[in-house]
């Protein structure tokens, strides 16, 4: 019984804007459904979105890029970070014969691409860590996809409530 939790997190305040649980073993087919959930929840899409390499699936990437400015890793995160540190930003026009993967890798190497992708470390990754480590939620306790979706909805909602409560208290005392 493998469950795969999906989160989309706002870049400014780490609020979860969309979530889901699927039974797919990887994230490749989850990009468009999660984009639709964000649009449904917020009534709009963000200007930019970042994804890790698990979401890399050309059909989904192409479709997502029609709706927003996407920055998606094409390889595992540690390899992507290493490439971003070692390779210089590209210069000149984009060659016309580049594949979608090559264009995305080039985009991530630009100054804007580096800055944008680096934000993943301040948005979704901390929220994952807070849920797993700070709150101790490392496995689902219920069984059955509908019950697990409800459990994850509770986790996402309480995460958002904690963020809002802490922000409010900071504003009052500050």
């Amino acid at each position: 019984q493998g469950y795969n939790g999906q989160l989309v997190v706002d870049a400014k305040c780490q609020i979860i804007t969309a979530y889901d649980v699927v039974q797919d073993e990887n994230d490749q087919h989850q990009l468009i459904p999660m984009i639709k959930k964000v649009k449904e929840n917020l009534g709009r899409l963000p200007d930019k979105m970042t994804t890790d390499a698990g979401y890399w699936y050309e059909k989904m990437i192409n479709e997502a890029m029609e709706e927003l400015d996407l920055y998606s890793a094409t390889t595992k995160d540690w390899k992507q970070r290493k490439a971003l540190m070692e390779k210089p930003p590209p210069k000149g026009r984009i060659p016309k014969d580049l594949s979608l993967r090559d264009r995305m890798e080039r985009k991530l190497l630009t100054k804007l691409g580096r800055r944008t992708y680096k934000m993943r470390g301040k948005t979704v990754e901390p929220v994952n860590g807070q849920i797993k480590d700070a709150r101790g939620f490392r496995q689902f306790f219920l069984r059955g996809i509908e019950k697990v979706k409800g459990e994850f909805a509770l986790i996402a909602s309480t995460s958002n409530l904690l963020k809002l409560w802490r922000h409010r208290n900071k504003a009052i005392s500050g």
Side-chain angles (χ1 to χ4, degrees):
Q1 294 172 334
Y3 300 110
N4 183 350
Q6 304 289 314
L7 292 176
V8 178
V9 177
D10 175 75
K12 293 180 185 163
C13 51
Q14 295 182 344
I15 294 291
I16 297 169
T17 58
Y19 59 86
D20 198 8
V21 176
V22 297
Q23 289 185 294
D24 292 355
E25 61 193 32
N26 60 47
D27 300 329
Q28 287 183 338
H29 297 283
Q30 303 314 312
L31 182 59
I32 298 304
M34 293 310 294
I35 288 173
K36 287 178 181 176
K37 285 182 183 294
V38 169
K39 199 172 192 176
E40 180 181 308
N41 292 343
L42 301 180
R44 63 175 181 78
L45 289 175
D47 296 329
K48 297 177 185 148
M49 183 180 249
T50 61
T51 69
D52 65 27
Y55 288 90
W56 186 265
Y57 179 55
E58 282 201 22
K59 181 181 176 196
M60 296 281 175
I61 298 292
N62 261 330
E63 193 174 330
M65 288 174 55
E66 291 174 9
E67 295 201 61
L68 50 77
D69 190 13
L70 185 67
Y71 294 80
S72 184
T74 58
T75 60
K76 296 216 179 267
D77 271 353
W78 70 270
K79 290 181 182 179
Q80 197 75 48
R81 285 192 305 270
K82 185 177 180 198
L84 291 175
M85 287 189 302
E86 293 176 352
K87 293 182 181 177
K91 294 181 181 179
R93 293 184 179 191
I94 300 170
K96 293 180 181 183
D97 62 340
L98 290 181
S99 68
L100 178 62
R101 182 180 294 272
D102 290 338
R103 285 196 318 266
M104 184 60 72
E105 287 174 0
R106 180 183 169 88
K107 182 178 183 178
L108 290 174
L109 287 173
T110 65
K111 289 178 184 178
L112 176 62
R114 290 171 197 259
R115 197 169 49 247
T116 302
Y117 192 76
K118 191 176 183 180
M119 288 300 295
R120 277 189 58 71
K122 297 176 184 174
T123 56
V124 72
E125 297 307 334
V127 173
N128 281 329
Q130 291 154 7
I131 288 171
K132 289 179 181 176
D133 295 329
R135 296 179 57 208
F137 187 78
R138 299 197 146 276
Q139 68 184 35
F140 293 105
F141 296 101
L142 301 176
R143 293 294 170 247
I145 189 69
E146 291 308 313
K147 289 179 183 175
V148 168
K149 284 178 183 254
E151 187 176 0
F152 202 56
L154 184 61
I155 292 298
S157 298
T158 55
S159 176
N160 284 348
L161 286 170
L162 279 169
K163 294 279 182 191
L164 294 170
W165 182 76
R166 288 180 182 140
H167 178 74
R168 180 187 175 276
N169 282 350
K170 204 183 274 187
I172 290 171
S173 64

